[in-house]
Amino acid sequence: MRRILVITAVASLALAALATVTVAVGAYLLRDLGPLPPRYSGPPLPREAVVSEMTSILAAEGITVEREPSGGMRTCHERLSGRHAPETADAAVEAAFARARSDHGWRDGPDLGERTLTLTKGNWTVMSSLMGEQASGQPAPVFMVLTCVDEGDTATAPTAPSASAPALTPAPASS
C-alpha cells in the first residue's frame, strides 16, 4: 500500500511539473513581440504611375499593351494585355522584367512557378506568365497583372474626415 502511495505521489509531482513547463512554454510562445513590420517599404505608389511605368517598359521591348478597365474605383488590380510575335513573345516579356529590375528599381517577387514571372516595388506586385510555343503566324497573347497591397492612389481616397465624424482631441495631461 505504501508503495502505491509513493508511486502516486511521484506521478502527481511529475504531472504538476509537466503542467508548469507547459504553461511556461505557452506563455513564452504567446508573448507580445510588438507590431508587425510593414508589408512594404516606402510610400505607396500611385496606380497611374505604376501602370504608366510598366506600359513604357513593355513598349521598350516592342510589346504594345492596352489597359483593361479595372473592376471599380477602389480595387487594387490592373491588367495590361496585348499581342506579340509568337517567336519572341516570351523573350520580350523576360527582357521587360529584366529592364524593370535594372532600370526602374523593381525586385524579384514571390516564386509562383517555372513559367510565371513576378516583380515587386513598393506596395505593388506585377505578374506575367510565359506562354511557351505558340502557333506560328498567330500573334501570341501577352498579359500582365498588377496588384497592390494598399491603394496608393490618393485621388480616390478620402483626404479629410467627413463633417459627421467626431473630432478627436487629445485629453489634457494629468500631473
Side-chain angles (χ1 to χ4, degrees):
M1 181 75 168
R2 190 170 203 172
R3 186 183 258 183
I4 292 174
L5 289 176
V6 171
I7 292 173
T8 304
V10 170
S12 296
L13 287 175
L15 286 175
L18 181 61
T20 303
V21 168
T22 302
V23 168
V25 168
Y28 174 75
L29 293 175
L30 294 174
R31 71 190 186 281
D32 185 10
L33 298 175
L36 292 172
R39 293 183 280 180
Y40 60 90
S41 62
L45 301 173
R47 168 195 314 246
E48 295 302 321
V50 172
V51 170
S52 175
E53 183 174 65
M54 292 314 294
T55 301
S56 68
I57 290 169
L58 290 166
E61 296 302 327
I63 303 171
T64 303
V65 292
E66 293 183 13
R67 181 180 186 178
E68 295 181 12
S70 59
M73 289 187 62
R74 296 287 299 170
T75 60
C76 223
H77 180 83
E78 291 290 333
R79 186 171 156 147
L80 304 175
S81 63
R83 299 213 169 259
H84 195 359
E87 303 82 25
T88 59
D90 285 351
V93 171
E94 288 174 332
F97 272 63
R99 180 183 298 269
R101 282 190 298 274
S102 65
D103 297 351
H104 297 275
W106 288 81
R107 292 185 284 180
D108 287 328
D111 184 9
L112 299 178
E114 185 178 317
R115 306 284 303 157
T116 304
L117 304 173
T118 59
L119 294 173
T120 61
K121 182 177 180 183
N123 57 325
W124 286 88
T125 299
V126 175
M127 181 189 78
S128 184
S129 294
L130 300 175
M131 297 309 228
E133 303 256 345
Q134 297 288 318
S136 61
Q138 299 272 339
V142 175
F143 296 105
M144 184 173 282
V145 177
L146 300 88
T147 55
C148 72
V149 172
D150 181 28
E151 184 80 38
D153 190 358
T154 56
T156 59
T159 55
S162 65
S164 62
L168 298 176
T169 57
S174 61
S175 47

